[in-house]
Amino acid sequence: MPVQEGIAMPLGPLRPSPLVEQAADRLRHQIADGSWPVGTKLPGETTLARDLGVGRSTVREALRALAGAGLVRARQGSGVFVIAVEPDEDWTARLRRASVADVYEIRMMLEVRASELAAERRTDADLDALDAALAARDAAFAALTAGAPAEPSPETSLQASSGTSSGTSTEVFIDADIALHAAVVGAAHNPVLADLFAGFVPVLREGLLDLARLVDVRRADAAHGRAAHAALVEAVRDRDPAAARRVIEAELRRTLSGLTSR
């Protein structure tokens, strides 16, 4: 790839504030807007420092930040080169940027298989956890229906750590619902599945809260939700992977339909 060198437009001096962040942002902008395409050799530290109005140490730290984001790479004896126009993004950041419907489709793939594995691998301890989670969901739904404030149960600890509940009845119910699904995933005894599900929780929680603001959760869940979740627990108890798959797939499709029709 041919080497290009030079600044396409004046960078301009920076305003007082965290100078390294400002310098990194300014350089990142030059890359993102195409002024410095992939393959371009960046100007030297002295030139960048002069154009930005900062010291060379600030430029050095800014370039280090860009390298950490996967945008540039230093070549010994040659300089610093642009290697990408978009920064690397960790999994959590990618999930937060995704639409809840997209995340939900992946959740369906994950949970359908997890429910089958749970039915095949569940232990007596898993059944105790599932029964407790179902009871907590029922209690949260009862509080929601009664319009009374609900207290988070121990089974909602996963949600408390990754999507803090303010304690409203709707939030406690949604946290209890997610905790039941997490118990099913846990019964699959695959730590990678469990970690993936935990990563989805914050985005799922926000999407379900948004949905709850638009629909009558009490009526919707009374019509179908409780029976479906109880049937899922029984399918796992009966070691019936096919039944577990049918129940969870139908339930998640119902919720996905609600999310995509908002």
Side-chain angles (χ1 to χ4, degrees), residues 12 57 82 85 108-109 138 144-145 147 154 167 195 245 253 255:
S57 62
V82 178
V85 296
M108 286 180 62
M109 299 176 193
D138 288 344
L144 178 65
T145 303
D195 287 346
R245 178 190 180 95
R253 285 191 183 281
T255 306

Side-chain angles (χ1 to χ4, degrees), residues 125-182:
D126 292 326
L127 293 180
D128 290 341
L130 287 167
D131 288 337
L134 182 61
R137 187 183 187 280
D138 288 344
F141 180 68
L144 178 65
T145 303
E151 292 297 327
S153 71
E155 287 74 25
T156 63
S157 58
L158 171 64
Q159 286 66 49
S161 62
S162 52
T164 304
S165 170
S166 68
T168 67
S169 294
T170 299
E171 287 176 310
V172 172
F173 171 67
I174 287 173
D175 286 344
D177 179 77
I178 294 174
L180 175 55
H181 287 266

